[in-house]
Amino acid sequence: MLSTEEIKRLSDEFETKPPQEILKWALDTFWPEIALSSSFQTQSMPLLHMASRIRRDVLIFFLDTGYHFWDTLIFREQIASKWQLNVLDLYRDTRWDAFVRQHTRTLPMEDPNLCCFLHKVQPMQKALKDMQAWISGIRRDQTSVRSQAKILELQEDGLLKINPMLNWTKADVKRYVKENNLPTHPLLDKGYRSIGCAPCTVATGLNDNERTGRWNGRSKTECGLHTDMFQHKNIAEVKQDFQLDISLRK
Ligand code: SF4
């Protein structure tokens, strides 16, 4: 168990280290109680490639929200099989099935915070419950929230979040993908630069920020995995802090 001071010192030290070195430290230090999360889009490829070259059997969480593009699910299958990755799909708690079925079409539009909490935040919290560390692929150049992140972040419940790609830019990702001849998500060529769930993702212009296509036209920029929402452990807290719109029914 690292002290808060050690975490801060290491995090500062890692600011000048390449992602491969941070990943190696993380996997050596916390194995086997460590997992990586990935959305299996083009920008996720470098992290998946680096981590699986250090440990082929690293546990990778993929959030299967039920709202993905078919192309994403196929791409996830292809990469997992080709690179022999240890991928575990995460799903929403079955307690919410009846509610979500009732609001399937409207939920992402009418209440994206609730939708993201049920399909992303809660399943990830549950999957990480017995882990010591969580590797995420966020970068500072993606959103204003991410620009404030640290390489090592201790969560309230003791989980250590590790962000090895934080200092990489869009150009670094492009260069690594090219140099290593990595596969790209099939929707990239159609203008989808950041790919999440289908109802909340649109194609964007070549020079637009890659996150512009996510929750386009709305103030929402994050699903909640990398914001304060992740510290909320139940729907009542989220409902109060994120002003959920749809009234919950049993
Ligand atoms: S990204 Fe959209 S569809 Fe996916 S969980 Fe969030 S609100 Fe729902």
Side-chain angles (χ1 to χ4, degrees):
M1 186 80 170
L2 296 168
S3 68
T4 313
E5 290 73 31
E6 279 174 304
I7 290 170
K8 186 181 176 326
R9 182 187 58 76
L10 279 166
S11 188
D12 290 344
E13 214 175 274
F14 287 154
E15 287 290 338
T16 56
K17 305 287 184 202
Q20 290 94 330
E21 200 173 313
I22 304 169
L23 272 171
K24 174 92 175 60
W25 168 83
L27 291 168
D28 286 350
T29 307
F30 298 105
W31 190 266
E33 290 163 346
I34 184 166
L36 181 155
S37 58
S38 180
S39 55
F40 282 82
Q41 47 183 314
T42 303
Q43 53 190 284
S44 317
M45 290 299 106
L47 179 63
L48 285 175
H49 187 246
M50 290 172 195
S52 61
R53 288 179 102 190
I54 298 169
R55 282 215 67 133
R56 177 73 57 202
D57 50 348
V58 60
L59 182 58
I60 298 161
F61 292 143
F62 172 72
L63 286 161
D64 191 342
T65 61
Y67 287 105
H68 282 299
F69 290 98
W70 185 230
D71 313 69
T72 300
L73 298 178
I74 294 173
F75 189 58
R76 172 238 171 277
E77 280 291 293
Q78 285 173 334
I79 302 299
S81 154
K82 193 171 169 189
W83 293 358
Q84 298 178 319
L85 302 178
N86 182 17
V87 184
L88 184 66
D89 295 325
L90 307 182
Y91 302 95
R92 70 165 179 258
D93 191 311
T94 52
R95 284 179 305 142
W96 300 108
D97 284 357
F99 170 75
V100 174
R101 253 185 250 120
Q102 198 176 0
H103 300 283
T104 301
R105 285 174 187 276
T106 52
L107 187 58
M109 296 303 135
E110 291 185 8
D111 202 337
N113 280 332
L114 174 59
C115 190
C116 281
F117 185 74
L118 298 182
H119 293 103
K120 295 186 172 187
V121 176
Q122 225 176 27
M124 189 63 77
Q125 288 172 337
K126 193 174 170 193
L128 288 166
K129 206 164 58 68
D130 298 321
M131 295 286 164
Q132 282 194 62
W134 166 29
I135 302 168
S136 125
I138 61 167
R139 306 195 321 263
R140 286 199 173 110
D141 71 344
Q142 290 175 313
T143 66
S144 57
V145 170
R146 297 177 189 198
S147 72
Q148 306 298 317
K150 303 271 186 256
I151 292 178
L152 301 184
E153 296 181 325
L154 190 61
Q155 311 286 296
E156 284 173 8
D157 57 4
L159 177 75
L160 185 66
K161 187 174 175 196
I162 302 164
N163 305 311
M165 312 302 290
L166 211 54
N167 284 325
W168 267 33
T169 62
K170 193 165 73 168
D172 291 321
V173 171
K174 204 172 169 187
R175 179 184 41 77
Y176 188 94
V177 166
K178 194 172 174 200
E179 280 174 7
N180 292 279
N181 197 24
L182 302 185
T184 56
H185 190 291
L187 290 179
L188 181 69
D189 288 342
K190 294 181 181 165
Y192 292 84
R193 318 223 162 271
S194 174
I195 302 164
C197 297
C200 304
T201 306
V202 295
T204 58
L206 249 187
N207 297 318
D208 287 338
N209 177 298
E210 64 192 15
R211 298 281 300 185
T212 309
R214 306 288 290 275
W215 302 284
N216 193 258
R218 282 177 274 177
S219 57
K220 185 173 170 70
T221 59
E222 296 280 350
C223 60
L225 290 174
H226 310 294
T227 68
D228 286 348
M229 188 189 274
F230 199 74
Q231 308 300 335
H232 292 336
K233 303 297 181 207
N234 64 65
I235 205 89
E237 285 177 20
V238 178
K239 193 171 188 303
Q240 184 184 319
D241 289 3
F242 291 86
Q243 296 162 353
L244 306 182
D245 298 329
I246 290 183
S247 53
L248 296 173
R249 296 176 218 176
K250 288 199 174 159

